[in-house]
Amino acid sequence: MGTSTADTRLHMDCCDNFVQMIAGTKRWFICPPQDARELLPIRCDGIHHSLCWASVKYPNANPLPSGDKAKLDKTSCFTIEIKAGEMLYLPAGWWHHIENVGPTVMVNMWTMGCENVAVALDKDPLRSDRPDLKKCPNIAQTTAAFLLK
């Protein structure tokens, strides 16, 4: 349940996310994993550093700071609204900012397949130091180090 003013800063999670809206509407600002270089992760939290925060905090701010606008202009981000009765699947590694459009009730479920996390967070397959698919138990820490370079 959320109030009409609730929102979440732009971030990326380690896990696949299934979202079901029960009541109300949420506005999602979504960016593919490849946009990490423009979004400039500033911090990764959690026991395995699996939650990373972007330097652009609120991409729907009005007015949007000019520095944030310049970063977002280089991305493939898009905005969608999820309404009551609708469902969203957000793959691991996709950046997202969420804001309520009025009061809401939402149910979500995170799932994590190690290979999916590794693929979603591997921003540049040509880099020699990309996360290794064979080391799934350590993928979140490896990915956090990779993103924050």
Side-chain angles (χ1 to χ4, degrees), residues 21-35:
M21 286 304 300
I22 306 301
T25 301
K26 285 189 183 271
R27 184 174 297 126
W28 290 66
F29 181 84
I30 301 172
C31 308
Q34 303 89 302
D35 286 341

Side-chain angles (χ1 to χ4, degrees), residues 1 7 15 40 49 70 80-81 87 92 100 118 124 128 141 145:
M1 297 180 84
D7 66 353
C15 307
L40 301 171
H49 305 283
I80 60 171
E81 289 189 354
M87 186 172 208
N100 288 353
D124 184 352
S128 60
Q141 278 185 312

Side-chain angles (χ1 to χ4, degrees), residues 5-48:
T5 58
D7 66 353
T8 305
R9 287 179 50 179
L10 186 58
H11 68 285
M12 176 273 302
D13 299 306
C14 69
C15 307
D16 293 341
N17 193 356
F18 292 89
V19 174
Q20 173 69 54
M21 286 304 300
I22 306 301
T25 301
K26 285 189 183 271
R27 184 174 297 126
W28 290 66
F29 181 84
I30 301 172
C31 308
Q34 303 89 302
D35 286 341
R37 297 213 193 306
E38 285 75 32
L39 299 174
L40 301 171
I42 55 171
R43 189 178 84 235
C44 291
D45 295 325
I47 194 166
H48 297 290

Side-chain angles (χ1 to χ4, degrees), residues 108-146:
N108 75 309
M109 178 181 75
W110 287 290
T111 64
M112 184 167 63
C114 163
E115 291 81 8
N116 290 341
V117 172
V119 169
L121 299 179
D122 187 1
K123 306 298 179 245
D124 184 352
L126 301 177
R127 281 183 67 166
S128 60
D129 61 341
R130 70 184 184 275
D132 185 354
L133 291 171
K134 295 178 180 79
K135 297 180 182 176
C136 288
N138 299 323
I139 197 64
Q141 278 185 312
T142 304
T143 300
F146 175 79

Side-chain angles (χ1 to χ4, degrees), residues 15-110:
C15 307
D16 293 341
N17 193 356
F18 292 89
V19 174
Q20 173 69 54
M21 286 304 300
I22 306 301
T25 301
K26 285 189 183 271
R27 184 174 297 126
W28 290 66
F29 181 84
I30 301 172
C31 308
Q34 303 89 302
D35 286 341
R37 297 213 193 306
E38 285 75 32
L39 299 174
L40 301 171
I42 55 171
R43 189 178 84 235
C44 291
D45 295 325
I47 194 166
H48 297 290
H49 305 283
S50 55
L51 169 65
C52 293
W53 301 95
S55 60
V56 176
K57 295 179 185 179
Y58 300 105
N60 294 335
N62 189 5
L64 186 63
S66 60
D68 288 353
K69 182 176 178 352
K71 291 174 192 172
L72 293 175
D73 284 345
K74 297 176 187 173
T75 69
S76 301
C77 302
F78 56 94
T79 301
I80 60 171
E81 289 189 354
I82 307 299
K83 299 177 174 105
E86 296 179 338
M87 186 172 208
L88 170 71
Y89 165 69
L90 188 72
W94 281 67
W95 297 85
H96 53 288
H97 161 72
I98 310 155
E99 62 181 316
N100 288 353
V101 181
T104 64
V105 178
M106 179 190 86
V107 176
N108 75 309
M109 178 181 75
W110 287 290

